[in-house]
Amino acid sequence: MFKGPFEESTIKRAQEKDFLKIHLHNLRDFTTDRHRTVDDTPFGGGAGMVMKVEPIYKAINHIKEEIKEKVKVILLSPQGKTFTQEVAFELIKEKNLILICGRYEGVDERVREHLVDEELSIGDYVLSGGEIAAMVVVDALARLIPGVVGDERSIKEDSFYRGLLDYPQYTRPAEFKGWKVPEILRSGNHRKIETWRRKKMLEKTLLRRPDLLKKAKLTSEEKKWLEEIRKKLKK
Ligand code: 4GX
């Protein structure tokens, strides 16, 4: 499952430049029975299977003994804290991460109680396994490693870096099927363009993700603009 996403584009580049090393481990390699069982029926009954604690314990121990450095152990699950850009900026400070990808309906609670440092969810929906969630986390982190994404500036200008949505962007042609690029962007007046963009970011965020504005870091000028936009929209 990991081959495609990890052998293309940003993650591939990060690994080639030795900014990132990804090791894949199969939990079945840490079982001892003939069927290489990683799941079992739940105590107390009920539908669905539960991931066993021993293979996860053995896998984590194996990895920890191998790297002999500080490791943060993360479980991907819908019950976790939501993985956001803010969490990405925290996680990128870690030297090593173990991302546990579960299948089935759940994991033995003792994994959470004794083995996991942090439980993360990539969003409020149910995946069929933790693998794609882990890939999402790896991708978001890889592009934050200095030198991986060409231009440092692009991270700082990211939507979410300041907790706001992006301003509208256009490229050539200036007119397509009569659809025009806003005149101001072609004016060459960089001060006006900058102001237009900052106002558009506020407007878009207010319309689509007002929840983000509570946390956004705004200058006093931006707060003033935001009030103006609010009034304009009420009319
Ligand atoms: N963000 N899933 C994990 C199995 C599972 C259940 C409970 C551990 C505990 C998901 C998400 C997600 C589905 C991955 C259930 N493993 N993971 N899987 N949303 O939906 O991260």
Side-chain angles (χ1 to χ4, degrees):
M1 280 190 83
F2 293 93
K3 224 174 157 163
F6 285 180
E7 289 177 12
E8 295 290 341
S9 182
T10 307
I11 299 177
K12 179 187 183 179
R13 207 163 48 238
Q15 292 188 92
E16 282 172 353
K17 290 185 176 171
D18 283 331
F19 289 137
L20 169 68
K21 275 208 179 93
I22 301 168
H23 300 264
L24 300 175
H25 306 267
N26 189 341
L27 281 175
R28 291 198 191 277
D29 296 339
F30 300 91
T31 55
T32 48
D33 65 310
R34 199 162 62 86
H35 296 104
R36 314 223 291 163
T37 313
V38 293
D39 63 319
D40 206 340
T41 53
F43 272 117
M49 298 298 272
V50 177
M51 303 272 304
K52 290 163 69 63
V53 63
E54 302 106 300
I56 295 176
Y57 173 82
K58 283 183 183 156
I60 292 172
N61 263 3
H62 168 83
I63 297 165
K64 284 187 169 175
E65 276 166 23
E66 204 158 72
I67 58 184
K68 298 184 181 75
E69 288 179 331
K70 195 170 157 254
V71 192
K72 178 164 247 180
V73 180
I74 293 170
L75 175 68
L76 282 318
S77 109
Q79 279 104 65
K81 172 173 98 182
T82 307
F83 179 68
T84 59
Q85 193 62 36
E86 211 173 338
V87 176
F89 284 125
E90 285 307 308
L91 281 187
I92 198 62
K93 297 175 187 165
E94 300 288 330
K95 181 97 189 288
N96 303 287
L97 299 174
I98 294 176
L99 302 177
I100 305 173
C101 308
R103 289 249 143 194
Y104 316 104
E105 285 64 42
V107 60
D108 190 307
E109 191 68 18
R110 289 167 291 186
V111 170
R112 290 192 180 89
E113 289 169 348
H114 305 286
L115 303 176
V116 162
D117 298 313
E118 203 167 336
E119 193 168 356
L120 293 179
S121 163
I122 63 159
D124 291 341
Y125 34 75
V126 183
L127 301 170
S128 53
E131 295 90 343
I132 292 175
M135 293 182 218
V136 167
V137 171
V138 171
D139 186 275
L141 294 181
R143 62 184 295 286
L144 294 182
I145 303 170
V148 170
V149 172
D151 193 348
E152 292 272 330
R153 220 179 44 186
S154 51
I155 287 174
K156 298 226 164 132
E157 284 181 7
D158 270 348
S159 167
F160 288 128
Y161 182 79
R162 292 204 314 144
L164 295 174
L165 299 185
D166 272 341
Y167 52 78
Q169 304 196 67
Y170 300 85
T171 187
R172 277 175 289 208
E175 184 173 341
F176 177 71
K177 290 182 183 291
W179 307 331
K180 290 194 180 74
V181 171
E183 202 51 55
I184 186 153
L185 296 177
R186 306 183 55 215
S187 69
N189 186 333
H190 294 290
R191 221 176 39 82
K192 276 194 173 170
I193 291 172
E194 186 57 30
T195 304
W196 181 87
R197 285 179 168 166
R198 283 164 68 202
K199 286 184 176 174
K200 283 291 180 187
M201 288 172 82
L202 293 168
E203 187 181 305
K204 207 169 209 179
T205 311
L206 180 64
L207 286 171
R208 296 193 186 173
R209 293 293 306 277
D211 58 300
L212 293 178
L213 288 170
K214 287 178 211 119
K215 271 198 181 178
K217 295 172 195 80
L218 301 181
T219 64
S220 52
E221 191 178 38
E222 286 167 337
K223 283 176 191 160
K224 190 190 81 191
W225 289 342
L226 189 61
E227 280 320 302
E228 287 168 10
I229 296 166
R230 277 203 176 102
K231 277 184 203 144
K232 189 182 86 185
L233 293 170
K234 266 187 207 155
K235 282 179 198 159

